[in-house]
Amino acid sequence: MPAPRRDLLRQSVDYAKTVRELRPAGETSVRAFVSGLRYPLRRQQPIWLGSRTVLEGEERITFSDGGALRIGLGAFGLTSSYDTSVLRVRPDAAMHCDGVVSLQRGVRVVVDAGTLTIGHATNVNGLTKILVAREVTIGAECTLSWNVQILDNDFHELTVGGVAQEASAPVRIGNRVWIGTCVVVLKGVTIGDGAVIAAGAVVTSDVEPGAIVAGIPAKRIGTADSWR
């Protein structure tokens, strides 16, 4: 369903302003700006590009009212306009932006099957990978640092003690979750609202709301009163 024209007009003003701010640092380019306009102008989709992007299956991306997808429009610093972002939504898959969602330069997001849902004001920093075979849900106002990996599938078969293990299970991340750099979140994990995942952690089991976890595998080390 095409986005309302009033939403696209409002977002286009913000888009142009952001591109102007990023150009002096080489974090975007005129070419990316012009090529990105085909989504809002031709297809009436609120998809805004600020860097080189491989985008496949855009027709399978849906938006809540006022929602948008911004790719490569953050002042990340570790990447430049030469870095390519990849977003693929396969024919048997879907992606939903439940508000304004930001994916920074160099992300790799592949939805092979099932659904990826990301909430309003969530920011996925550059070089992060999200691979979906069944279901990944990320809530609102989350921050994913760089080089994070979220996987809802083993991408291979495993038998333990003669019993075949389930290869995929949903990953559900609550609202206002902070995930540090180089964290790996594995299949079947639920992370509660307000949790903080320390850099380098490997999350293999559920994380309670407000908990701070660290290590391999991730264990609770404290409670987060707040973060920003």
Side-chain angles (χ1 to χ4, degrees):
M1 181 177 179
R5 185 173 296 275
R6 66 179 182 278
D7 287 343
L8 290 176
L9 288 173
R10 174 176 51 80
Q11 292 172 10
S12 68
V13 173
D14 294 337
Y15 176 52
K17 178 182 177 182
T18 300
V19 169
R20 284 197 300 270
E21 292 172 348
L22 292 175
R23 281 196 64 200
E27 293 189 289
T28 189
S29 66
V30 173
R31 180 177 181 179
F33 173 83
V34 173
S35 66
L37 288 175
R38 68 183 180 274
Y39 298 105
L41 293 182
R42 294 183 186 176
R43 304 178 184 179
Q44 300 295 293
Q45 284 185 294
I47 299 174
W48 307 92
L49 305 184
S51 64
R52 298 179 181 184
T53 301
V54 174
L55 178 54
E56 299 175 5
E58 65 276 0
E59 69 276 11
R60 291 181 282 277
I61 303 175
T62 59
F63 301 86
S64 61
D65 290 343
L69 177 59
R70 296 162 59 90
I71 303 176
L73 284 168
F76 183 45
L78 291 180
T79 57
S80 74
S81 61
Y82 295 100
D83 288 281
T84 301
S85 303
V86 175
L87 173 55
R88 291 188 168 101
V89 184
R90 307 293 192 189
D92 293 330
M95 177 177 177
H96 181 66
C97 297
D98 193 13
V100 179
V101 173
S102 297
L103 307 178
Q104 303 308 340
R105 287 176 301 280
V107 297
R108 299 287 187 269
V109 179
V110 179
V111 191
D112 280 320
T115 304
L116 169 63
T117 302
I118 304 179
H120 177 64
T122 283
N123 181 59
V124 179
N125 269 302
L127 312 177
T128 281
K129 302 173 182 67
I130 302 174
L131 304 180
V132 184
R134 182 168 171 179
E135 177 192 347
V136 172
T137 301
I138 303 172
E141 299 182 358
C142 295
T143 293
L144 279 64
S145 193
W146 62 93
N147 284 327
V148 170
Q149 294 189 62
I150 297 177
L151 316 171
D152 73 344
N153 194 284
D154 291 331
F155 298 99
H156 58 76
E157 296 180 355
L158 179 66
T159 300
V160 179
V163 179
Q165 303 299 299
E166 188 173 14
S168 64
V171 172
R172 299 186 175 102
I173 298 172
N175 299 321
R176 249 193 101 65
V177 172
W178 177 13
I179 299 180
T181 183
C182 296
V183 165
V184 178
V185 179
L186 297 178
K187 69 176 187 183
V189 165
T190 294
I191 299 177
D193 294 348
V196 173
I197 315 300
V202 176
V203 185
T204 61
S205 58
D206 292 353
V207 177
E208 295 178 357
I212 303 172
V213 300
I216 303 174
K219 301 293 183 182
R220 184 169 186 150
I221 62 170
T223 300
D225 294 325
S226 64
W227 65 266
R228 61 177 181 154

